Amino acid sequence: MQSQVTLTTLYKMKEKAEKIVALTAYDYPFAKIVDESGVHMILVGDSLGMVIQGESSTLPVTMDQMIYHSRIVSRAAKFAIIVGDMPFMSYQASIEQAVANAGRFLKEAGTAAVKLEGGAAVSEIIQAISGAGIPVQAHIGITPQSVHKMGGYKVQRDEERLMADALEVESAGAFSVVLEGIPSNISKKITKALTIPTIGIGAGPHCDGQILVLHDLLGLNQGHVPKFVKQYAAIGDTAGTAIKRYANEVQAGKFPAKKHCY
Ligand code: KIV
């Protein structure tokens, strides 16, 4: 069995121009499938607010919910590095609170790292968490926790600011940075300028790695599908068909059959 991915693995992959495969997961059975499929990095994203809890944004997600899901995912993963996503208001109010909450991910949930949103504005927070020995992944471009400030989930095109944010989070000690909703030519320049791996979502092919939300990739998401998503399956339709067949058979008295009875 291959040994578990570490930060060193990720740095070496960037050096060798080997693409890093990242995906979200939130529960045991899917985390196990994702891990056994050879994905290098599993993010327990606060996107769970939308894809698991049915919220319209990630804002209501709490620390306790993130710890609960991260712990389940960590239990399933034997290969991928696990990153726990710090939810809205778990790191913004004070540096002390940010460090304490980041520590909960490693101590209570078994993740190897945490992710938080923001660039230069959160560099002191990244520095403090990283200084406490906790690897931090930054996240710039579209930052869904700032949806109201951004006026929606809009592609971010201010090249100067994005580059400054990327350089700032790297010097603050981030081990990696997620680039979300950024034109390809800008993420190409950022990826070249940084020594840490960039992980793109809606940021084109030049990033060091790619991440998608698992439910988007599997076609489990019934709502709007963003342009950057490729659906590799239609699991939602498959599940719906199976459940309808079950319902029909129960109503028709066909299930359970003799072989299902004691
Ligand atoms: O919460 C999440 O799933 C994320 C990814 C989309 C990067 O932040």
Side-chain angles (χ1 to χ4, degrees):
M1 202 174 80
Q2 280 183 294
S3 52
Q4 193 148 14
V5 173
T6 62
L7 299 194
T8 311
T9 322
L10 301 174
Y11 295 136
K12 280 192 183 149
M13 288 179 79
K14 172 157 180 138
E15 232 174 77
K16 292 190 209 158
E18 279 173 34
K19 293 285 186 187
I20 298 165
V21 183
L23 199 54
T24 68
Y26 318 97
D27 63 25
Y28 189 84
F30 274 128
K32 201 158 181 296
I33 294 169
V34 171
D35 189 63
E36 287 172 359
S37 304
V39 165
H40 304 105
M41 178 189 291
I42 299 180
L43 170 70
V44 188
D46 65 352
S47 49
L48 69 83
M50 295 164 95
V51 299
I52 301 289
Q53 300 174 337
E55 299 283 359
S56 59
S57 77
T58 59
L59 301 183
V61 177
T62 67
M63 262 306 291
D64 285 345
Q65 290 165 354
M66 290 308 306
I67 294 294
Y68 171 84
H69 286 277
S70 300
R71 193 183 163 104
I72 290 170
V73 170
S74 297
R75 210 176 287 143
K78 304 281 176 273
F79 173 68
I81 186 169
I82 309 299
V83 182
D85 208 2
M86 298 193 71
F88 181 55
M89 289 319 294
S90 69
Y91 57 94
Q92 293 91 337
S94 75
I95 288 187
E96 289 72 24
Q97 200 185 30
V99 176
N101 280 328
R104 285 190 65 193
F105 278 95
L106 274 67
K107 216 173 164 70
E108 298 174 37
T111 72
V114 298
K115 176 173 85 61
L116 54 79
E117 294 182 9
V122 293
S123 64
E124 273 183 44
I125 298 170
I126 294 174
Q127 205 168 1
I129 297 175
S130 175
I134 302 167
V136 187
Q137 182 171 52
H139 180 159
I140 64 169
I142 296 180
T143 46
Q145 292 174 12
S146 308
V147 57
H148 297 303
K149 194 172 171 199
M150 291 185 302
Y153 302 103
K154 292 179 184 155
V155 174
Q156 301 295 298
R157 301 175 187 278
D158 183 344
E159 181 172 337
E160 211 173 301
R161 190 178 59 79
L162 289 164
M163 182 60 85
D165 277 341
L167 292 170
E168 184 90 20
V169 296
E170 174 172 84
S171 43
F175 76 91
S176 165
V177 56
V178 169
L179 306 181
E180 178 167 355
I182 295 176
S184 305
N185 64 317
I186 301 179
S187 15
K188 186 178 183 181
K189 288 181 194 167
I190 292 175
T191 300
K192 219 167 158 201
L194 298 187
T195 57
I196 58 171
T198 59
I199 308 292
I201 174 160
H206 307 293
C207 301
D208 296 306
Q210 296 291 329
I211 186 162
L212 281 177
V213 168
L214 177 69
H215 290 54
D216 290 344
L217 175 155
L218 292 179
L220 260 169
N221 205 348
Q222 306 294 336
H224 165 72
V225 180
K227 175 182 164 79
F228 61 80
V229 168
K230 180 167 177 181
Q231 288 187 320
Y232 286 85
I235 301 296
D237 292 344
T238 305
T241 305
I243 293 162
K244 276 180 209 140
R245 280 181 55 207
Y246 163 69
N248 289 340
E249 290 194 3
V250 168
Q251 292 194 312
K254 284 190 182 165
F255 178 84
K258 214 168 178 188
K259 66 178 175 185
H260 304 117
C261 299
Y262 296 106

